[in-house]
Amino acid sequence: MSEGAKSGGVTLTGIQKSFGGAPALVDGRLTISPGGVHGLVGPNGAGKSTLAAIASGILQPDAGTIEVRGESLQFRGVPDALAAGIVAMPQELTVVPELSVAENITIGREPSRRGLLSQRASRAVAAKVLERMRVDLPLKAPVADLEPASQRVVMLARSLHTGAHTLILDEPTAALDSSQAEVFLRVVESLRGAGVSVVYISHRFGEVVRLCDDVTILRDGRTVDVLDRKRNTEAALVAAVVGEGALDDHVRAERSAPRRDRPVLTVRGLAGARLRGVDFSIGEGEILGVCGLPGSGVDDLMEMVSGCQAPVRGEIVVDGRAVRFGEPAQALARGISYLPAERARAGMLDLPIRSNLVASSLGKVDRAGWLTARAERRFVNDVLTELGLAQRVEHNLRTLSGGNRQKVLLSRCLLADSRLIVLDDPTVGVDVGARRDIHEMLVRIAAEGRSLLVSASEPEELVSIADRVLVLSRGEVGAEIDSAEISPESVVRAVTTSGAPRAAATAG
Amino acid sequence: MKQVIATEPSSSAPPGGADGSTVRPSRSFAWRAMLRYGVFGVFVIMIATFGVLRTQDFLQLDTLKEILVNASVLAVVASGLTLVLAIGEFDLSFGSVAGFAGAVVVYMMYKAGLPLVPALAVALVAGLVAGLANGVIVAYGKVPALIATLAVGSVAEGVERWIFNDETIYEGIPHSFLSITNTSVFGFQMIVPISIVVVIALCLICSFTTFGRRVFATGGSEEAARIAGIRTRRVRTVTFILMGLGAGIAGILLMSQASSYYPNSGTGLLLPAYAACFLGWSAAGADRFYPAYTYFGVLFIGTLSTGLIMLQVASWVTDVVQGVVLVSAVLVARAARTS
């Protein structure tokens, strides 16, 4: 197919799809008019990804029609959708780090002469694609050397190189922090001039408002509304997704003040990796937020405190005693639990929910090394009942929605009787409603006297729960914002002024 | 360096949904049933075929006894290997370790003049040490299991040859050593109950112990298990130690069965053991490795090889058929999962 020439409207109507009897889509509708960016928004489990997978031929609908430029089509697989000009960019990073930018863009469709690859032709083709996107990337550089946003841009260029006129982007910025997301968003904006239509799925409403010409709202497997440009505001999106009135995200509920005079954890001169000496302490029942630009060392701090990474210098004091953690198990023994942001890879165990809950408390449930499913069920029963998941105790944790997965993992920390829970981006990949639930849960945990160390890639998140926010800058504490002064403005200002932002790799 | 993130089911995909692969419109029930239970079908057809080709003697209790006896050593190593596979590793050394442990037990009785029980203990310790070496090198040294276990296997084989210099030893082996496997229990040779006890013990460990839970947690996602507070390096090491012990037991059984020491006794175990594990895994719906499933695989392989021997086909045929059966079973199991 010739580059970008054909642009066409795509219409999905009455799409139905069930998995093993559970309906994922009941009445999915999506109109992708030629050109422009079209938002697709809804809570987790609303069927966004399923609809996207059907539009791009990954899944086949049980009922419904797909029309491309007025012609009714049936996609038996991805190649059919591709032939019709529709391609989905995967949510996961699928670049080959060792290969160059040009090789990654042309991978699978390398220009070849008599079966021999031509590096030069490859680069020429890649350069043309990037030109269409108005992006400048070093063609010969290995993708591993690029910043995260640019790696996504390479994936985008690869999708464009297929000759598709419709690109489906499923949460392309989910794994990016705000500054990196910004870099990626600019590229998506510049696609408008390239004659392609974009379907943009995201939980980040700010992005959706900024990018999208219209927004399709999915709820419970149905398309319930399509917002045009005028109605596309953040408040309208929140209202449409939640399906009720405005949302009060501020959940600093009534609770006794945290006992800063009784520190649970004290860190002195902590250094190693990107950290260059960090001091702070967390009191009993305190929610301490940590944020900073990428490279400021937030990740390293979380990993060192939770025993995932050993500090080079400095000390960690728990209950007045200096500790050294060789692995997370040792931190856990001192009452410190860790929940990473990448829950799919590093949070969930590929086991039933009950085993996930018990994993950090095996020593409490077993009898001389013997462990039965019954003992596990007894141990987790109350917690699961409270979460409303008692019926699903034997289901694999992966079958739950993002919000429920996080609730289960948080409950695991509670069952382990941790006094300090270290949380990376606690609501990443979680829909708006569940996000509020989780915030409430965190505040309730703190009210019980446990302490929380919470990092967030979106500083606004900390505003709604933290008692105090530390802003890291170049491996040191750049600013400390106390309860009274916490506001979205103060936090964002502290983050963005405390360290020089990284130079963006995309230009022009 | 950035890692390519493995495909995960997207968070909003419903339970039982697509794992990202292309899902064809559902095939007929019969087709899916055939894929799902195909391994059992082939097992039955195989028995029926042998029964027809050897009407005079295949479908008899004696044949069953022979199959069980022949498959006993395999059952012991394969159920140990099951745990190693469940934890997401593999082991290429257990054949050599079995041979090494066999050499050790015979040496202890024949040259060092130790009584039976201490000699057995020393051989088990030898297997344990080899497993410990594998575990420490893999878990703490972060050496890929392929290299680590090949190297440990090579060392074990070297030491075995150093002990007996490739000679075969018939004398100096006490009768009590032979009776370990040959004593008759309810009409079966003792080796059969021994192997079944090993399989059952490992099943119990997998299902009803904290260690078993840790094995499957670690095998599913090491990083997640570590963060949940499981000492994954220790779990791996212990798993390799159990494998080494299994290999040690296998070595003792091999020598006792042969009532002699002969070189390279364990080398033929490698492929059948993997075949048994993967046949069991396939038969159980390609879901997870489990010693009882593996025992089915062992019976499958045992029936196949015993049947082929009774048909007096050339021994290379067994190798070819085993390889083909193994790959087919895994292919069918994969197909069954995605249909």
Side-chain angles (χ1 to χ4, degrees):
Chain A
M1 187 172 294
S2 68
E3 292 256 308
K6 296 178 194 165
S7 66
V10 179
T11 314
L12 285 83
T13 38
I15 302 291
Q16 291 181 18
K17 177 80 187 172
S18 320
F19 296 98
L25 278 175
V26 184
D27 178 21
R29 281 177 287 127
L30 178 63
T31 304
I32 312 167
S33 49
V37 183
H38 310 277
L40 182 56
V41 165
N44 270 343
K48 301 182 301 280
S49 295
T50 309
L51 192 58
I54 287 170
S56 53
I58 296 168
L59 294 176
Q60 281 65 48
D62 300 336
T65 54
I66 304 173
E67 279 182 33
V68 182
R69 275 166 287 153
E71 193 185 343
S72 186
L73 295 176
Q74 274 204 335
F75 300 154
R76 278 162 305 165
V78 175
D80 286 356
L82 206 55
I86 305 172
V87 65
M89 185 174 110
Q91 201 169 359
E92 300 80 20
L93 196 59
T94 55
V95 290
V96 185
E98 297 82 7
L99 294 184
S100 72
V101 168
E103 285 166 325
N104 265 290
I105 292 175
T106 55
I107 203 163
R109 296 163 185 280
E110 298 90 346
S112 63
R113 192 173 291 170
R114 291 193 215 101
L116 293 176
L117 291 181
S118 157
Q119 293 282 351
R120 194 183 297 164
S122 223
R123 282 199 291 274
V125 170
K128 229 193 226 164
V129 175
L130 291 175
E131 202 181 291
R132 265 181 79 199
M133 299 167 65
R134 302 200 196 102
V135 174
D136 192 20
L137 287 176
L139 291 171
K140 292 186 194 173
V143 166
D145 292 352
L146 300 183
E147 57 178 358
S150 301
Q151 297 181 340
R152 298 273 158 180
V153 171
V154 168
M155 285 173 62
L156 199 58
R158 185 195 292 163
S159 305
L160 209 56
H161 176 51
T162 61
H165 55 68
T166 301
L167 299 183
I168 300 175
L169 310 182
D170 191 354
E171 303 237 26
T173 58
L176 303 176
D177 61 65
S178 26
S179 70
Q180 289 289 294
E182 176 61 33
V183 174
F184 185 82
L185 291 186
R186 277 199 218 123
V187 176
V188 175
E189 277 173 338
S190 70
L191 281 177
R192 286 175 183 287
V196 286
S197 345
V198 175
V199 175
Y200 198 83
I201 304 176
S202 181
H203 278 128
R204 297 186 177 184
F205 293 163
E207 296 176 2
V208 174
V209 169
R210 179 172 144 194
L211 285 177
C212 299
D213 301 305
D214 56 49
V215 184
T216 301
I217 311 281
L218 266 182
R219 206 162 57 219
D220 301 328
R222 292 171 204 279
T223 298
V224 292
D225 203 355
V226 180
L227 306 180
D228 58 17
R229 182 83 252 186
K230 263 181 263 166
R231 288 169 60 213
N232 178 9
T233 64
E234 236 172 286
L237 286 176
V238 171
V241 168
V242 177
E244 52 199 47
L247 169 78
D248 178 18
D249 208 24
H250 200 80
V251 288
R252 257 186 287 180
E254 286 303 309
R255 62 183 167 105
S256 50
R259 300 291 302 266
R260 297 267 295 275
D261 56 317
R262 282 202 226 154
V264 169
L265 172 95
T266 305
V267 158
R268 291 199 201 99
L270 201 64
R274 290 196 176 103
L275 290 190
R276 301 193 304 163
V278 168
D279 302 73
F280 68 87
S281 72
I282 307 181
E284 217 176 87
E286 184 176 26
I287 304 182
L288 179 60
V290 188
C291 57
L293 290 174
S296 60
V298 175
D299 300 345
D300 296 317
L301 176 64
M302 306 302 262
E303 290 191 354
M304 283 179 197
V305 169
S306 57
C308 295
Q309 185 186 334
V312 177
R313 276 182 291 111
E315 60 176 2
I316 299 172
V317 181
V318 180
D319 293 334
R321 266 209 305 195
V323 289
R324 283 199 89 77
F325 298 143
E327 54 187 336
Q330 290 168 328
L332 197 77
R334 297 318 232 102
I336 302 176
S337 282
Y338 178 45
L339 279 189
E342 276 188 75
R343 293 189 286 279
R345 182 181 65 83
M348 298 189 289
L349 302 172
D350 191 10
L351 292 174
I353 291 172
R354 66 171 151 84
S355 306
N356 269 281
L357 280 166
V358 173
S360 298
S361 326
L362 286 169
K364 283 196 273 180
V365 184
D366 69 351
R367 276 189 193 178
W370 290 91
L371 180 76
T372 59
R374 197 199 297 176
E376 283 187 311
R377 278 196 292 270
R378 201 181 313 130
F379 185 69
V380 304
N381 185 44
D382 293 348
V383 171
L384 271 187
T385 309
E386 207 170 301
L387 293 177
L389 295 169
Q391 297 304 314
R392 308 192 63 173
V393 59
E394 295 299 323
H395 292 202
N396 192 298
L397 183 55
R398 285 175 199 280
T399 62
L400 296 186
S401 67
N404 278 334
R405 287 176 184 179
Q406 182 68 310
K407 288 178 203 166
V408 167
L409 292 176
L410 261 173
S411 305
R412 169 165 87 200
C413 305
L414 299 181
L415 285 170
D417 265 334
S418 291
R419 285 166 311 143
L420 171 65
I421 303 176
V422 180
L423 288 153
D424 253 342
D425 261 336
T427 60
V428 70
V430 164
D431 69 79
V432 182
R435 187 180 158 121
R436 187 169 45 179
D437 285 357
I438 287 168
H439 284 168
E440 277 167 6
M441 193 169 168
L442 294 179
V443 170
R444 207 167 53 239
I445 290 169
E448 288 169 9
R450 301 178 206 260
S451 315
L452 298 165
L453 179 64
V454 185
S455 82
S457 52
E458 291 174 87
E460 291 86 346
E461 165 143 43
L462 298 177
V463 174
S464 47
I465 52 166
D467 296 310
R468 192 159 54 109
V469 174
L470 293 182
V471 179
L472 291 197
S473 155
R474 295 187 190 133
E476 291 167 354
V477 178
E480 182 177 330
I481 308 171
D482 253 316
S483 176
E485 293 131 40
I486 295 179
S487 70
E489 296 74 30
S490 67
V491 175
V492 172
R493 201 180 323 118
V495 168
T496 49
T497 57
S498 62
R502 268 207 219 164
T506 48
Chain B
M1 192 173 58
K2 312 282 185 310
Q3 291 284 316
V4 177
I5 297 164
T7 309
E8 290 289 350
S10 77
S11 56
S12 51
D19 46 10
S21 61
T22 309
V23 174
R24 301 275 170 211
S26 53
R27 296 247 170 79
S28 70
F29 176 76
W31 173 250
R32 271 179 294 153
M34 200 197 89
L35 289 177
R36 174 64 186 79
Y37 301 105
V39 178
F40 298 105
V42 172
F43 187 53
V44 172
I45 292 169
M46 178 174 75
I47 292 171
T49 311
F50 287 138
V52 169
L53 293 177
R54 294 281 299 189
T55 351
Q56 65 278 35
D57 55 5
F58 187 79
L59 292 174
Q60 282 176 9
L61 187 61
D62 281 347
T63 313
L64 175 66
K65 283 181 185 172
E66 197 178 328
I67 290 170
L68 289 177
V69 167
N70 289 346
S72 288
V73 172
L74 182 59
V76 170
V77 285
S79 48
L81 179 62
T82 306
L83 260 70
V84 176
L85 290 171
I87 207 162
E89 293 289 356
F90 56 91
D91 187 344
L92 297 176
S93 71
F94 59 82
S96 309
V97 172
F100 162 61
V104 168
V105 73
V106 173
Y107 179 88
M108 286 301 149
M109 294 181 297
Y110 165 74
K111 282 268 173 67
L114 283 186
L116 178 66
V117 174
L120 292 179
V122 173
L124 289 180
V125 167
L128 184 147
V129 167
L132 177 70
N134 278 327
V136 167
I137 295 169
V138 171
Y140 292 89
K142 300 195 174 77
V143 176
L146 173 74
I147 295 302
T149 60
L150 262 182
V152 168
S154 170
V155 171
E157 210 173 303
V159 174
E160 180 192 342
R161 294 176 61 188
W162 173 61
I163 293 174
F164 280 127
N165 203 16
D166 284 339
E167 284 170 42
T168 302
I169 310 291
Y170 300 101
E171 330 104 56
I173 301 174
H175 186 73
S176 58
F177 181 63
L178 309 182
S179 63
I180 292 175
T181 49
N182 299 347
T183 311
S184 173
V185 183
F186 302 121
F188 288 95
Q189 283 183 40
M190 179 83 141
I191 191 169
V192 175
I194 288 177
S195 69
I196 290 175
V197 164
V198 169
V199 174
I200 291 175
L202 285 174
C203 284
L204 292 177
I205 286 176
C206 283
S207 290
F208 299 111
T209 68
T210 314
F211 172 72
R213 183 59 37 80
R214 290 182 176 137
V215 165
F216 287 105
T218 305
S221 164
E222 216 228 309
E223 183 70 1
R226 205 171 75 93
I227 286 175
I230 291 168
R231 293 171 197 261
T232 52
R233 286 176 296 190
R234 195 182 292 178
V235 175
R236 277 160 189 258
T237 308
V238 174
T239 306
F240 274 108
I241 288 176
L242 288 177
M243 171 82 258
L245 272 176
I249 296 173
I252 293 168
L253 296 179
L254 279 170
M255 298 303 112
S256 164
Q257 236 180 349
S259 49
S260 61
Y261 165 78
Y262 60 103
N264 304 324
S265 56
T267 42
L269 288 172
L270 215 52
L271 180 89
Y274 277 94
C277 288
F278 278 91
L279 278 167
W281 173 81
S282 306
D287 183 34
R288 63 175 191 148
F289 291 98
Y290 190 73
Y293 302 160
T294 295
Y295 195 67
F296 168 77
V298 168
L299 292 181
F300 193 117
I301 297 285
T303 308
L304 179 67
S305 53
T306 306
L308 290 175
I309 290 167
M310 288 172 76
L311 291 181
Q312 289 166 322
V313 298
S315 68
W316 62 264
V317 176
T318 311
D319 291 342
V320 171
V321 173
Q322 264 182 20
V324 171
V325 164
L326 170 59
V327 170
S328 320
V330 175
L331 284 176
V332 168
R334 281 242 182 270
R337 267 207 122 176
T338 48
S339 82

